[in-house]
Amino acid sequence: MNTEQLHVALQNSFSPDASVRDPAEAAVKNLKNVRGAVTMLLQVASEKQVQYEVRQAAAIQLKNICRECWVERVSFMGAMLSSEGGTKAIILAEEDKAGIRTNLVDALLSEAEKSVRDLMAETIHSIAIHDFPQHWPSLLPTLLQQTAQSSDPSQALRVHNALLALRKICKRYEYKSKEQRGPLNDIVLQSFPLLLPLAQRLADPNEHSIEAAMMLKQILKIFWSSTQFYLPNGVSGDVSASGGEKPETLQPWFDVLHAVLTKPLPEASTGLEPRNQPISIEERNAWPWWKVKKWSVQIMSRLFSRYGIPAYAEDEAKAFATYFSQTV
């Protein structure tokens, strides 16, 4: 099968004619057995000239195959899980894995269609579970390099998509124990010095673009994934003379959260001014700037529940909790 044949199979899988649809669906289902199929799926999903439904179908198949066939799956008892029919599970070839790791991030960065980019980001997440950071050391530097281009308005889409992928990586460690969060601490050390000034700029009272809201939302979600259970080590790289973390190093982030919460939003309009919030309640609920406020409230609520009363805080967080309760 080549890329053109794959495109035809995906397109025919939507046919109302069962005689056309059934063999196409069978061919698509068999893709995990075809060497190079994931590379072709990524090519179809990334091609802007291809019909949207076909691109979306390719992205779905890519996500499913990578999730199912990246590594051998094991049960809770340690036994290898077989595929349908009791046969040995299919595992992607190392050449196919290397190609996906090389090209998937670049495809995501330039993707404007929300559904397709969300599927690509989820694929990055499922691969990162197994490969980051040991087998995918270029992933974080690539995303941070793109994030550093945030001052260029023409790079807004790529910066947003880089932040989306970065959040997926952080989410990988969101519920991990403190002993398993080493990679997340490294991510925080490298990314927060870039994210903080960007968040400060995006939270400006006079900034009302939708692109700014979407980027700021991803930054707050990254902050949420990094802090909701434990405060990451060296969150700003600032330490006290005794070698411990200074509680006030998070204050600039609290200032951002406060700026977001108090930020006045443009009133609803007839739609002539795209910066203004929509009129209908449904559209307002989905408007990115209200989403940003929601994440800010969620973060502050979680921090207050964990650190608002110092007596209830973990021993290693007592100093921070005291600072938080008295200052924030």
Side-chain angles (χ1 to χ4, degrees):
M1 177 181 284
N2 56 34
T3 305
E4 184 176 348
Q5 292 170 329
L6 174 60
H7 178 274
V8 172
L10 290 168
Q11 195 167 38
N12 287 345
S13 67
F14 297 105
S15 174
D17 185 347
S19 64
V20 175
R21 183 180 65 253
D22 291 348
E25 289 179 342
V28 170
K29 187 176 181 180
N30 188 56
L31 285 174
K32 63 184 178 182
N33 298 299
V34 178
R35 192 165 188 136
V38 287
T39 300
M40 292 188 291
L41 284 167
L42 181 57
Q43 290 174 348
V44 174
S46 307
E47 180 51 62
K48 306 300 188 290
Q49 304 304 317
V50 172
Q51 180 184 353
Y52 167 71
E53 289 77 11
V54 174
R55 296 181 62 213
Q56 186 180 49
I60 291 172
Q61 292 303 318
L62 176 64
K63 175 180 72 72
N64 291 343
I65 292 176
C66 287
R67 184 175 58 187
E68 179 182 347
C69 304
W70 201 263
V71 298
E72 287 186 309
R73 294 182 296 166
V74 297
S75 68
F76 289 112
M77 301 299 293
M80 295 297 177
L81 297 177
S82 61
S83 58
E84 295 178 11
T87 60
K88 186 176 180 180
I90 303 297
I91 303 299
L92 292 176
E94 289 301 321
E95 181 182 354
D96 286 341
K97 291 182 182 181
I100 291 299
R101 284 192 296 258
T102 300
N103 299 310
L104 179 56
V105 174
D106 191 57
L108 168 65
L109 291 178
S110 61
E111 184 53 60
E113 290 285 355
K114 183 181 185 304
S115 175
V116 176
R117 75 174 175 231
D118 285 350
L119 288 164
M120 289 180 176
E122 195 57 41
T123 304
I124 288 177
H125 177 250
S126 67
I127 297 173
I129 288 174
H130 307 292
D131 284 14
F132 180 82
Q134 290 86 355
H135 304 300
W136 205 354
S138 63
L139 178 56
L140 182 60
T142 300
L143 297 177
L144 296 182
Q145 183 181 27
Q146 185 59 64
T147 304
Q149 306 299 316
S150 60
S151 59
D152 184 353
S154 67
Q155 297 294 305
L157 174 64
R158 295 178 66 87
V159 171
H160 169 269
N161 291 357
L163 293 170
L164 173 64
L166 183 58
R167 198 278 165 130
K168 290 294 183 181
I169 303 173
C170 293
K171 192 174 177 65
R172 153 92 172 86
Y173 302 96
E174 191 169 277
Y175 299 106
K176 294 293 185 181
S177 67
K178 188 174 297 185
E179 294 72 26
Q180 296 175 303
R181 290 165 63 92
L184 180 59
N185 290 331
D186 292 338
I187 292 172
V188 169
L189 282 171
Q190 295 182 57
S191 66
F192 273 33
L194 278 174
L195 299 182
L196 178 57
L198 177 55
Q200 290 169 330
R201 176 162 60 84
L202 297 174
D204 185 278
N206 297 315
E207 175 59 80
H208 298 301
S209 70
I210 297 302
E211 293 80 7
M214 292 176 65
M215 286 189 282
L216 186 53
K217 182 179 74 170
Q218 293 302 331
I219 292 174
L220 293 186
K221 291 170 78 170
I222 291 168
F223 188 88
W224 164 264
S225 291
S226 303
T227 62
Q228 70 154 319
F229 286 120
Y230 300 101
L231 294 175
N233 296 330
V235 72
S236 69
D238 191 9
V239 294
S240 65
S242 62
E245 182 86 17
K246 291 183 180 179
E248 63 269 21
T249 54
L250 273 176
Q251 185 58 51
W253 285 100
F254 298 142
D255 293 339
V256 168
L257 295 169
H258 180 265
V260 170
L261 287 172
T262 59
K263 181 183 176 70
L265 300 179
E267 290 299 330
S269 71
T270 57
L272 298 178
E273 176 53 74
R275 299 181 308 166
N276 290 2
Q277 60 180 294
I279 294 177
S280 74
I281 296 298
E282 293 76 12
E283 290 178 315
R284 285 191 182 196
N285 286 336
W287 198 47
W289 279 113
W290 283 117
K291 293 285 189 181
V292 169
K293 283 182 177 282
K294 181 208 101 169
W295 276 101
S296 182
V297 171
Q298 182 167 306
I299 290 169
M300 289 305 297
S301 177
R302 173 56 61 90
L303 289 172
F304 181 79
S305 68
R306 294 186 66 84
Y307 308 110
I309 304 177
Y312 295 159
E314 304 94 334
D315 290 341
E316 62 269 26
K318 294 287 188 186
F320 174 80
T322 300
Y323 174 85
F324 183 86
S325 63
Q326 295 177 354
T327 307
V328 182

